[in-house]
C-alpha cells in the first residue's frame, strides 16, 4: 500500500496519502504531520482539536483507519480486475495470438 504513490488515490484514500506525505523526506526536511492530524480529525471526531489524548489510542485509531482504507483499496482493485476481465475488448487484447 505504501509503495503505491499514485496521486489519484489521494482523494479516495486520504489517510494513506497523508501518511505518505509524513513519511517523505526532501532535502533533509521531514514530512509535515499536520496533514496526518487533519485527516485523522476528519475521520474520527474523537481526536478533533488540540485536546490531550493518549498516544496509544491515537495510534490504534490510525491503524484501524489505515486498515479500512487498505481493504477498500483491495476491493477497488479487485473490482477493476473483474470489470476488465468482463470487457470483451480487454479480454481479446490480452489473449495472445497463435
Amino acid at each position: 500500500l505504501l509503495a503505491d504513490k499514485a496521486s489519484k488515490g489521494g482523494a479516495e484514500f486520504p489517510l494513506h496519502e497523508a501518511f505518505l506525505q509524513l513519511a517523505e523526506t526532501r532535502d533533509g526536511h521531514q514530512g509535515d504531520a499536520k496533514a496526518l492530524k487533519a485527516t485523522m480529525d476528519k475521520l474520527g471526531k474523537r481526536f478533533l482539536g488540540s485536546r490531550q489524548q493518549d498516544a496509544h489510542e491515537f495510534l490504534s485509531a490510525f491503524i484501524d483507519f489505515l486498515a479500512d482504507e487498505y481493504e477498500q483499496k483491495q476491493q477497488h482493485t479487485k473490482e477493476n480486475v473483474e470489470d476488465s476481465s468482463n470487457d470483451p475488448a480487454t479480454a481479446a487484447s490480452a489473449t495472445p495470438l497463435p
Side-chain angles (χ1 to χ4, degrees), residues 36 61 79:
L36 180 65
E79 289 171 0

Side-chain angles (χ1 to χ4, degrees), residues 1 3 24 40 48 50 54 56 59 63 73 78 86-87:
L1 180 65
E24 286 183 0
M40 284 292 291
L48 189 62
S50 59
D54 288 332
H56 74 277
L59 182 59
I63 291 170
K73 187 167 190 152
K78 182 180 176 184
N86 291 334
D87 182 7

Side-chain angles (χ1 to χ4, degrees), residues 8-27:
K8 64 182 179 180
E12 196 170 352
F13 308 106
L15 192 58
H16 168 226
E17 194 66 28
F19 185 62
L20 287 175
Q21 288 176 7
L22 176 64
E24 286 183 0
T25 57
R26 292 185 186 156
D27 301 324

Side-chain angles (χ1 to χ4, degrees), residues 8-76:
K8 64 182 179 180
E12 196 170 352
F13 308 106
L15 192 58
H16 168 226
E17 194 66 28
F19 185 62
L20 287 175
Q21 288 176 7
L22 176 64
E24 286 183 0
T25 57
R26 292 185 186 156
D27 301 324
H29 296 102
Q30 291 185 338
D32 187 12
K34 290 178 184 177
L36 180 65
K37 171 68 168 93
T39 303
M40 284 292 291
D41 287 348
K42 291 176 187 174
L43 295 173
K45 304 301 181 200
R46 181 177 184 185
F47 301 103
L48 189 62
S50 59
R51 295 183 330 195
Q52 186 172 352
Q53 296 287 337
D54 288 332
H56 74 277
E57 291 177 11
F58 182 87
L59 182 59
S60 178
F62 169 74
I63 291 170
D64 288 343
F65 288 134
L66 198 59
D68 290 345
E69 282 190 3
Y70 178 76
E71 289 174 14
Q72 290 174 10
K73 187 167 190 152
Q74 292 298 349
Q75 184 64 32
H76 181 68

